[in-house]
Amino acid sequence: ATFVPEPALVPSAAEPFVFRVVDGVVARVPVTTGSRIANHVEILTGIEPGDLVVTAGQQRLGDGARVITKEPTFVPPSPPDEEIQIVSQ
């Protein structure tokens, strides 16, 4: 399963989305969500394990905006007997 930090998820009237970062440029990506575990949201469709997502400042972003990425500061423990891929900023 793929999880992102809850702040990465942007609610929207149409559907929730995240901003995925590729080569320092963001793109708005609609997502389908699943369960929530330890302040993280399961992403069923829209992004893949290993994708980078924005976790702060989304209100100032739009498609094509340039950003600077940094290493994640926290990765939650995995529930027993489950493989979870955390994607973050």
Side-chain angles (χ1 to χ4, degrees):
T2 300
F3 282 77
V4 298
E6 198 154 352
L9 187 65
V10 181
S12 170
E15 59 190 336
F17 64 91
V18 298
F19 281 107
R20 179 175 46 212
V21 182
V22 177
D23 296 328
V25 178
V26 299
R28 179 181 166 150
V29 178
V31 294
T32 303
T33 60
S35 61
R36 294 175 189 259
I37 299 174
N39 297 321
H40 283 71
V41 180
E42 181 181 23
I43 303 298
L44 303 173
T45 64
I47 60 172
E48 300 295 325
D51 285 351
L52 294 178
V53 296
V54 175
T55 59
Q58 293 94 322
Q59 66 276 10
R60 297 184 301 265
L61 294 178
D63 280 333
R66 296 199 62 78
V67 295
I68 297 172
T69 59
K70 64 180 184 176
E71 292 298 315
T73 55
F74 173 77
V75 176
S78 296
D81 301 323
E82 253 189 69
E83 184 178 326
I84 293 179
Q85 172 69 39
I86 302 295
V87 294
S88 185
Q89 174 183 10

